[in-house]
Amino acid sequence: MSSTPSSVTVPGPAVPAQALKEQSRLRLGATWALIKPYWKSEDRKAGLGLLVLVVALNLGIVYINVLLNEWNRVFYNAIEQRDFVSFKALLLRFSWIAACFIVLAIFRQYYQLMLQMRWRTWMTGTFLKRWLGHQAYYRIEQTHSTDNPDQRLADDLRQFTDGALTLSMGLLNSVVTLVSFIGILWVVSGPISFMLGGVDVTIPGYMVWFAIAYAVVGSLIAHFVGRPLIGLSFQQEQYEANFRFMLVRLRENSEPVALYRGEPTEEASLRARFERIRANWNQLMRYTRRLTFVNSGYGQFAIIFPLLVAAPRYFSGKLTLGGLMQINSAFGQVQGALSWFVDSYATLVGWKAAANRLIDFQEAMRVAEREDLAPGGAGDIEVAPSANPADRHIAISDLALALPVRADLDVDEEGVDPQAQPAQLPLVAPFSLTIGPGERWLVNGPSGCGKSVLFRALAGIWPYGAGRITTPQARVLFLPQRSYLPIGTLADALSYPDAGTAHSRDALARVLEQARLGALVRHLDVFDNWSLRLSPGEQQRLAFARALLQKPDFLFLDEATSALDEETEAAMYRLMVETLPDATIVSIAHRSTVAAFHDRRLRYVRAADGQAGDGGVSYRVVQDA
């Protein structure tokens, strides 16, 4: 079977500093473009309603904090004055304030989680539609334009929506808190006067300016220290996903690994991939340690900073104990609001890394869509239906086949260059061919010559090359060498891509009997991973049973009997010919057993020197009657 280079993503060498810098970019415009669509979608009314409710609850919590700030002043004044009656009343007042705070906090968290899931549900549906639409999932794998799309759909989307809401609500809370408390701090702190160069200087609301200066310096230091964490978090997600993929791959191929006694090799491979995780984690630890040092020092000093600054006024008798505690509380609220960036930096780093991975994934899907929709994009292979409904021929005109050689995407400052095109390696010289109804073609040639690539081009999923393919309005079915069996009941696996209920149980049982799989009839309702439970030969016979259900007008078999013995292989082809006498059959195969069921031949031969043409192709196609 001809094939293109493997599309499995494995960790490469350590990411260079330039790549780490690239992955650490903020890409604010692209991030906003990722956020905006949901709030304009069909679900925007419900989303905006929940958002307004969460915002209102946040505002309620800020108001509770304002009440607590005032309560601080009165409470500590009562303690200073030893007013036991007021002390008891204030404790009762604190109880209902605290109860309101708890209720608001619980409902805010509940509705924020509800909004997060609605947003994630919409984004997951949108990304899945784009990933599966235009067969982007297939094209991305061919060009290696992005790694581990499963991890981006499952983990990065969750982290993105969770982080976006958490950070935005935190920022809103900080802004409202700042607006609510900056006036209080300005009034209660009062002015400070001092001599500077013989001049009497007075600063009104001096605690506000101290809070602003403290937060600005802390934010700048935190960003300087922590920015590399964005790129390192990006890489950590990639390495974790690669390691998880290799574990799943080992589980799915447990039998051949066991037969080869390949455990030492697999262990070495897994350890090498985990070593990437460990090495990157060490860098994350170093930068996280620095950021934690900054955040912890910043937060701890902020506890005593307002007391140190306000203490002179208290000890001079210009402030009461309640006033001092109110200043301390108000300063903490203002400084905390201004320190949103510092306090949220670790969360912001993880969220931005997830956003950058989603941006790359989205751009890769955009390129794949363009390849599918735009003639002359990735290639010039045009697949179009015949204008004549009565036409039952597949017409191939000047078809040249090529392979993509691009390893990744070219990026500009906002992501993927929308004009970037994958480079192509010419493979097969242009040829023309007409496949008529009821004809049976055998395609053979050296391994790697492009036989399977031809089938992919006929299926409309291979854009690399040039030429035109006109297809009839008929039922077409492709059976690859390794058939796909979804996890589910055996009926689902047999009926794919239809649901297991699309065909009667009698029909399913009949085709299993015809494909020499009668022993499986009693397992039609058993849920299992049938690609692991059935042998390769059983899987190929199940694919023939699937063809009997589908009853295609054109049947393409890509070494679909390679795991069968010659007698069973002949029986399967005889079954197709007798059961589907009017179907056109095109097979890639090498055995003489298969040749006996075909009357036409398409051969791939190596292009001799001087015959390759200007394109530098490796093979030519020869038709034999």
Side-chain angles (χ1 to χ4, degrees):
M1 178 177 116
S2 306
S3 62
T4 58
S6 172
S7 61
V8 173
T9 302
V10 296
V15 177
Q18 182 59 35
L20 179 61
K21 183 179 179 181
E22 176 69 23
Q23 293 163 357
S24 299
R25 289 185 304 124
L26 296 181
R27 302 166 75 176
L28 298 179
T31 303
W32 173 243
L34 199 63
I35 294 173
K36 184 171 59 175
Y38 174 69
W39 305 103
K40 293 185 175 181
S41 71
E42 68 284 353
D43 195 47
R44 66 183 181 278
K45 291 183 178 179
L48 288 171
L50 284 171
L51 181 62
V52 169
L53 180 57
V54 172
V55 169
L57 292 169
N58 264 292
L59 295 178
I61 290 174
V62 174
Y63 177 68
I64 293 295
N65 286 329
V66 172
L67 294 179
L68 285 172
N69 178 260
E70 175 62 20
W71 179 88
N72 265 312
R73 181 184 65 82
V74 179
F75 181 75
Y76 283 102
N77 279 339
I79 291 178
E80 186 180 33
Q81 297 165 9
R82 293 177 173 82
D83 184 351
F84 185 64
V85 174
S86 297
F87 177 81
K88 291 192 295 181
L90 287 167
L91 284 179
L92 181 61
R93 185 183 180 196
F94 176 81
S95 298
W96 69 258
I97 292 176
C100 290
F101 180 90
I102 292 170
V103 171
L104 290 175
I106 290 172
F107 280 100
R108 178 190 64 178
Q109 181 72 5
Y110 177 79
Y111 288 113
Q112 184 170 314
L113 289 174
M114 183 184 294
L115 176 57
Q116 176 194 332
M117 182 49 67
R118 289 193 74 98
W119 191 3
R120 181 186 175 189
T121 300
W122 184 88
M123 288 196 72
T124 300
T126 301
F127 269 72
L128 282 175
K129 185 176 182 179
R130 292 191 65 183
W131 188 49
L132 296 173
H134 303 289
Q135 296 176 323
Y137 66 95
Y138 174 76
R139 300 177 191 278
I140 287 172
E141 288 298 308
Q142 296 302 315
T143 57
H144 300 259
S145 56
T146 191
D147 64 88
N148 301 301
D150 52 323
Q151 184 258 354
R152 303 191 189 214
L153 288 165
D155 294 338
D156 290 337
L157 279 175
R158 173 187 52 78
Q159 190 172 356
F160 177 77
T161 53
D162 182 20
L165 287 174
T166 300
L167 290 167
S168 60
M169 289 301 104
L171 179 59
L172 172 67
N173 195 66
S174 295
V175 171
V176 176
T177 299
L178 179 62
V179 171
S180 301
F181 281 92
I182 197 168
I184 297 174
L185 184 60
W186 184 281
V187 172
V188 299
S189 66
I192 187 173
S193 299
F194 56 90
M195 297 296 293
L196 181 63
V199 179
D200 188 10
V201 178
T202 300
I203 302 177
Y206 72 102
M207 293 293 290
V208 172
W209 302 111
F210 274 110
I212 292 173
Y214 191 80
V216 168
V217 172
S219 298
L220 291 175
I221 295 174
H223 183 57
F224 176 78
V225 171
R227 183 173 180 178
L229 286 170
I230 299 176
L232 290 171
S233 297
F234 185 107
Q235 291 173 196
Q236 191 69 20
E237 292 293 333
Q238 179 182 4
Y239 293 155
E240 294 280 4
N242 284 330
F243 182 65
R244 186 166 58 247
F245 170 79
M246 296 303 295
L247 290 172
V248 173
R249 188 168 181 268
L250 174 60
R251 188 185 69 189
E252 292 183 345
N253 293 276
S254 56
E255 182 177 339
V257 171
L259 291 173
Y260 275 117
R261 298 292 191 269
E263 295 85 1
T265 302
E266 292 299 319
E267 181 179 358
S269 178
L270 288 170
R271 286 183 178 273
R273 283 154 177 78
F274 188 79
E275 177 61 24
R276 297 277 167 77
I277 295 175
R278 189 198 63 78
N280 195 74
W281 186 260
N282 284 343
Q283 294 189 67
L284 273 170
M285 286 168 54
R286 287 195 292 271
Y287 282 102
T288 301
R289 180 181 61 191
R290 299 173 189 176
L291 183 61
T292 303
F293 176 79
V294 171
N295 287 348
S296 298
Y298 178 87
Q300 290 302 309
F301 189 64
I303 296 173
I304 63 169
F305 183 74
L307 296 175
L308 291 175
V309 177
R313 295 189 68 211
Y314 172 72
F315 287 112
S316 67
K318 296 179 181 179
L319 278 177
T320 64
L321 178 61
L324 178 64
M325 298 311 296
Q326 186 180 24
I327 287 177
N328 184 62
S329 174
F331 181 90
Q333 293 288 349
V334 171
Q335 178 267 331
L338 291 170
S339 302
W340 172 85
F341 186 76
V342 176
D343 297 336
S344 303
Y345 200 86
T347 303
L348 186 62
V349 161
W351 176 75
K352 196 66 197 72
N356 284 354
R357 287 176 61 79
L358 289 175
I359 291 168
D360 290 347
F361 185 36
Q362 190 176 56
E363 294 294 353
M365 291 190 293
R366 187 177 303 163
V367 171
E369 290 167 357
R370 188 179 67 250
E371 291 175 356
D372 184 52
L373 294 174
D380 292 321
I381 297 181
E382 180 184 357
V383 181
S386 174
N388 181 7
D391 187 8
R392 287 293 179 267
H393 295 76
I394 294 178
I396 301 174
S397 303
D398 297 320
L399 179 64
L401 301 174
L403 298 176
V405 296
R406 182 180 65 188
D408 53 19
L409 296 172
D410 300 323
V411 297
D412 60 12
E413 62 180 6
E414 286 298 331
V416 175
D417 179 359
Q419 302 303 320
Q421 304 296 339
Q424 297 185 39
L425 178 67
L427 180 63
V428 179
F431 68 97
S432 298
L433 176 69
T434 299
I435 302 176
E439 296 178 350
R440 300 190 176 96
W441 286 83
L442 178 65
V443 182
N444 55 25
S447 178
C449 65
K451 303 184 297 296
S452 295
V453 172
L454 170 62
F455 275 25
R456 294 166 189 164
L458 291 171
I461 65 173
W462 192 261
Y464 311 109
R468 178 180 174 84
I469 300 173
T470 303
T471 59
Q473 299 179 21
R475 293 168 296 179
V476 180
L477 181 64
F478 290 83
L479 298 187
Q481 182 179 23
R482 186 169 64 91
S483 183
Y484 174 68
L485 303 181
I487 296 176
T489 66
L490 181 61
D492 292 329
L494 176 57
S495 304
Y496 188 82
D498 299 333
T501 56
H503 303 278
S504 68
R505 190 178 182 85
D506 289 342
L508 297 179
R510 182 173 61 255
V511 296
L512 285 176
E513 294 284 356
Q514 290 175 304
R516 299 187 177 184
L517 293 171
L520 294 178
V521 172
R522 67 179 183 273
H523 298 299
L524 279 170
D525 296 323
V526 176
F527 188 98
D528 206 337
N529 185 350
W530 292 99
S531 62
L532 298 181
R533 182 164 178 177
L534 299 180
S535 70
E538 288 174 322
Q539 292 183 44
Q540 289 189 339
R541 279 181 282 156
L542 190 72
F544 276 91
R546 187 183 290 168
L548 295 177
L549 280 178
Q550 300 292 335
K551 295 182 174 60
D553 299 308
F554 286 81
L555 179 61
F556 294 85
L557 301 101
D558 186 354
E559 295 196 46
T561 55
S562 59
L564 303 179
D565 61 87
E566 291 191 1
E567 190 276 329
T568 305
E569 179 181 56
M572 292 299 103
Y573 267 95
R574 189 176 302 109
L575 177 63
M576 292 297 103
V577 171
E578 293 175 354
T579 309
L580 306 172
D582 298 325
T584 299
I585 298 177
V586 183
S587 302
I588 296 174
H590 301 284
R591 295 178 185 169
S592 58
T593 311
V594 176
F597 294 93
H598 300 78
D599 51 19
R600 298 170 184 267
R601 188 179 180 192
L602 198 67
R603 290 187 296 116
Y604 280 68
V605 297
R606 293 189 180 277
D609 293 340
Q611 293 182 315
D614 295 335
V617 296
S618 301
Y619 296 93
R620 295 181 297 108
V621 173
V622 177
Q623 302 178 37
D624 295 334

